[in-house]
Amino acid sequence: SLPDAPSKLAISDDAQAILIADGTGMVYAVSGSTTPAPLYRSSQVGVLVFVSNSHEAIVGDPAQGTTAVVETSTSASGVKMFAPPSSGGCQPQAAASTADGKTVLLACPAQHFITSLDRASGVTNTYKINGSPSAFDATGAKDTFLMSPAENGIYWLFTWRPDGPVISFIAAPRHSD
């Protein structure tokens, strides 16, 4: 049976892999023909998203400040990469990967920065930004996301480049007089 109180849902790009997280920090792999299988556990699942064009998932724990990349296929399930708490204290609230899946991007709204994690080398970089990114919404353009801060409604376009992000102002709420 499915978890009693699902808190997050992720579906792979090919719609062949589905993950559900519950309120206890457990992530389950869901298959149409079997019972949901426990896949990963953390203290809190604040981020649950698939790496582009893969069955690997990014699981972020804002309470612990950790991020894991987890293989979700039943034959090779397990943690492929684990990023311990960073010196900057990122409490990830959103994540995305580049189109090639080589870089994981973490939104850290409480700290006002974005962290990039190179999956091949394990190198992380932190980019201080104005605002508090709480979401990375795909735009359809390669490695470009709508960065949506929750608190003030100002939207930014975030484009990832290996030498660092380019962030552009998009829109702010209209105030009436």
CSV table of all heavy atoms in Angstrom, one decimal, residues 1 4 12 19 32 35-37 48 65 80 85 104 116 140 142 157 166 174:
chain,number,residue,atom,x,y,z
A,1,SER,N,0.8,-1.2,0.0
A,1,SER,CA,0.0,0.0,0.0
A,1,SER,C,0.9,1.2,0.0
A,1,SER,O,2.0,1.2,0.4
A,1,SER,CB,-0.9,0.0,1.2
A,1,SER,OG,-0.2,0.2,2.4
A,4,ASP,N,0.8,6.5,4.1
A,4,ASP,CA,-0.4,7.2,4.6
A,4,ASP,C,-0.5,8.7,4.2
A,4,ASP,O,-1.6,9.2,3.9
A,4,ASP,CB,-0.6,7.0,6.1
A,4,ASP,CG,-0.8,5.6,6.5
A,4,ASP,OD1,-1.4,4.8,5.6
A,4,ASP,OD2,-0.5,5.2,7.6
A,12,SER,N,9.8,10.4,-13.3
A,12,SER,CA,10.9,10.5,-14.2
A,12,SER,C,10.5,11.1,-15.6
A,12,SER,O,9.3,11.0,-15.9
A,12,SER,CB,11.6,9.2,-14.4
A,12,SER,OG,10.7,8.3,-15.0
A,19,LEU,N,8.4,8.1,-7.6
A,19,LEU,CA,8.8,8.1,-6.2
A,19,LEU,C,7.8,8.9,-5.4
A,19,LEU,O,7.2,9.9,-5.8
A,19,LEU,CB,10.2,8.8,-6.0
A,19,LEU,CG,11.4,8.1,-6.8
A,19,LEU,CD1,12.6,8.9,-6.5
A,19,LEU,CD2,11.5,6.7,-6.3
A,32,GLY,N,3.8,-0.2,-11.0
A,32,GLY,CA,2.4,-0.6,-11.2
A,32,GLY,C,2.1,-2.0,-10.7
A,32,GLY,O,1.0,-2.3,-10.4
A,35,THR,N,4.2,-3.7,-4.7
A,35,THR,CA,4.0,-2.9,-3.5
A,35,THR,C,5.1,-1.8,-3.5
A,35,THR,O,6.2,-2.1,-3.8
A,35,THR,CB,4.0,-3.7,-2.2
A,35,THR,OG1,3.1,-4.7,-2.3
A,35,THR,CG2,3.8,-2.9,-1.0
A,36,PRO,N,4.8,-0.6,-3.1
A,36,PRO,CA,5.8,0.4,-3.0
A,36,PRO,C,7.0,-0.1,-2.1
A,36,PRO,O,6.8,-0.6,-1.1
A,36,PRO,CB,5.1,1.6,-2.3
A,36,PRO,CG,3.7,1.5,-2.7
A,36,PRO,CD,3.5,0.0,-2.7
A,37,ALA,N,8.2,0.1,-2.7
A,37,ALA,CA,9.4,-0.4,-2.0
A,37,ALA,C,10.2,0.7,-1.4
A,37,ALA,O,10.5,1.7,-2.0
A,37,ALA,CB,10.3,-1.1,-3.0
A,48,LEU,N,12.6,16.3,-3.7
A,48,LEU,CA,12.5,15.0,-4.4
A,48,LEU,C,12.2,15.2,-5.9
A,48,LEU,O,11.1,15.7,-6.3
A,48,LEU,CB,11.3,14.2,-3.8
A,48,LEU,CG,11.2,12.7,-4.3
A,48,LEU,CD1,12.4,11.9,-4.0
A,48,LEU,CD2,9.9,12.1,-3.7
A,65,GLY,N,20.6,19.3,6.1
A,65,GLY,CA,21.4,20.0,5.2
A,65,GLY,C,22.2,19.1,4.2
A,65,GLY,O,23.3,19.4,3.7
A,80,LYS,N,24.1,6.8,-5.0
A,80,LYS,CA,25.2,7.0,-5.9
A,80,LYS,C,26.1,8.1,-5.5
A,80,LYS,O,27.3,8.1,-5.8
A,80,LYS,CB,24.7,7.3,-7.3
A,80,LYS,CG,23.9,6.1,-7.9
A,80,LYS,CD,23.7,6.3,-9.3
A,80,LYS,CE,24.9,6.0,-10.1
A,80,LYS,NZ,24.8,6.0,-11.5
A,85,PRO,N,26.5,18.0,4.9
A,85,PRO,CA,26.2,19.4,5.1
A,85,PRO,C,27.3,20.3,4.6
A,85,PRO,O,28.5,20.0,4.8
A,85,PRO,CB,26.0,19.5,6.6
A,85,PRO,CG,25.6,18.1,7.0
A,85,PRO,CD,26.3,17.2,6.1
A,104,VAL,N,24.1,19.0,-10.4
A,104,VAL,CA,22.9,19.1,-9.6
A,104,VAL,C,22.9,20.6,-9.0
A,104,VAL,O,23.9,21.1,-8.6
A,104,VAL,CB,22.9,18.1,-8.4
A,104,VAL,CG1,21.8,18.4,-7.4
A,104,VAL,CG2,22.8,16.7,-9.0
A,116,SER,N,25.9,24.5,-6.6
A,116,SER,CA,26.0,23.5,-7.7
A,116,SER,C,26.9,22.4,-7.3
A,116,SER,O,27.9,22.6,-6.5
A,116,SER,CB,26.6,24.2,-9.0
A,116,SER,OG,28.0,24.6,-8.7
A,140,GLY,N,11.8,24.8,-20.5
A,140,GLY,CA,11.8,24.2,-21.8
A,140,GLY,C,13.1,24.6,-22.6
A,140,GLY,O,13.5,24.0,-23.5
A,142,LYS,N,17.2,24.9,-22.6
A,142,LYS,CA,18.2,24.1,-21.9
A,142,LYS,C,18.9,24.8,-20.7
A,142,LYS,O,19.3,25.9,-20.8
A,142,LYS,CB,19.3,23.8,-23.0
A,142,LYS,CG,20.4,22.9,-22.4
A,142,LYS,CD,21.5,22.6,-23.5
A,142,LYS,CE,22.6,21.8,-22.8
A,142,LYS,NZ,23.7,21.6,-23.7
A,157,LEU,N,14.8,34.5,-13.9
A,157,LEU,CA,15.2,33.4,-14.8
A,157,LEU,C,16.6,33.0,-14.4
A,157,LEU,O,17.5,33.9,-14.4
A,157,LEU,CB,15.1,33.9,-16.2
A,157,LEU,CG,15.0,32.8,-17.3
A,157,LEU,CD1,13.8,31.9,-17.1
A,157,LEU,CD2,15.0,33.5,-18.7
A,166,VAL,N,23.7,32.6,-14.7
A,166,VAL,CA,23.2,33.9,-15.2
A,166,VAL,C,21.8,34.1,-14.7
A,166,VAL,O,21.0,33.2,-14.9
A,166,VAL,CB,23.3,34.0,-16.7
A,166,VAL,CG1,22.7,35.4,-17.2
A,166,VAL,CG2,24.7,33.9,-17.2
A,174,ARG,N,2.2,43.4,-9.5
A,174,ARG,CA,1.8,44.7,-9.7
A,174,ARG,C,1.0,45.2,-8.5
A,174,ARG,O,0.2,44.5,-8.0
A,174,ARG,CB,0.9,44.8,-10.9
A,174,ARG,CG,0.5,46.1,-11.3
A,174,ARG,CD,-0.3,46.1,-12.6
A,174,ARG,NE,-0.6,47.4,-13.0
A,174,ARG,CZ,-1.3,47.7,-14.1
A,174,ARG,NH1,-1.7,46.8,-14.9
A,174,ARG,NH2,-1.5,49.0,-14.3
